[in-house]
Amino acid sequence: MHLKSTVQIVFSLLFAALLGGCGREAEVNFYDKNLKQQSLGCLAYIPKNNSYLEQNLEKLYHFQNGCQYILKLSYKSNIVCTSPYNAVLKNTTNFPNAYIELEVRDGMKLLYSYYKDLSHKPTLDDLKEAFERLKDDIL
């Protein structure tokens, strides 16, 4: 009886840890620790495919083509995870199937990133939330 209850507790904790591991909070990384004390002052942005989100990103900020700091927007939806290890999560939770990411680079050097898993196609609200966070953090 004691072993059975121990196994149930371990399984419950493991399941809770798995559910908590796929949170919906954004992951923000400062690769250059000096960014926390100083702001960049400008950003350049070069759209890749002139999508709806890219067009709206250009409305959120006055990008300067000559700035050394370059913003990169990445996003994807309809991601299919075929791993059998996530089967329980996919069937019992709102498992992420999309993401949005912003990166700021100085040449090839990554300075800052914002990444968030989504359970829906990235929207203008997701983009605004991401860019507002970026502005608060480094601009």
Side-chain angles (χ1 to χ4, degrees):
M1 189 76 146
H2 178 36
L3 179 60
K4 183 177 178 182
S5 62
T6 303
V7 169
Q8 287 175 331
I9 291 171
V10 169
F11 180 74
S12 296
L13 289 173
L14 179 62
F15 188 70
L18 286 173
L19 288 177
C22 289
R24 295 292 193 271
E25 295 300 315
E27 182 178 322
V28 175
N29 290 302
F30 288 83
Y31 296 97
D32 182 338
K33 303 305 179 197
N34 294 327
L35 286 179
K36 290 183 179 183
Q37 287 79 34
Q38 64 187 32
S39 66
L40 295 182
C42 68
L43 277 177
Y45 178 68
I46 303 164
K48 290 191 302 187
N49 58 17
N50 205 27
S51 70
Y52 172 74
L53 287 181
E54 289 179 323
Q55 291 171 8
N56 280 283
L57 178 59
E58 293 182 281
K59 294 176 185 176
L60 297 177
Y61 182 77
H62 178 67
F63 292 99
Q64 300 172 12
N65 290 338
C67 183
Q68 74 186 64
Y69 306 110
I70 299 172
L71 176 68
K72 177 185 173 193
L73 167 65
S74 301
Y75 57 92
K76 188 168 184 169
S77 59
N78 298 323
I79 299 170
V80 178
C81 180
T82 59
S83 170
Y85 299 108
N86 293 323
V88 172
L89 289 175
K90 289 190 292 186
N91 292 326
T92 60
T93 66
N94 198 8
F95 198 74
N97 66 355
Y99 73 88
I100 189 165
E101 179 179 42
L102 296 175
E103 290 183 346
V104 176
R105 294 181 176 271
D106 181 0
M108 295 299 291
K109 182 180 176 189
L110 181 60
L111 303 176
Y112 174 92
S113 70
Y114 171 102
Y115 176 91
K116 187 172 184 180
D117 283 322
L118 304 169
S119 58
H120 57 272
K121 182 178 179 178
T123 65
L124 183 54
D125 287 339
D126 296 317
L127 176 64
K128 287 179 180 177
E129 178 184 312
F131 196 72
E132 284 301 315
R133 174 67 189 265
L134 180 144
K135 284 191 335 187
D136 288 346
D137 286 345
I138 63 173
L139 288 176

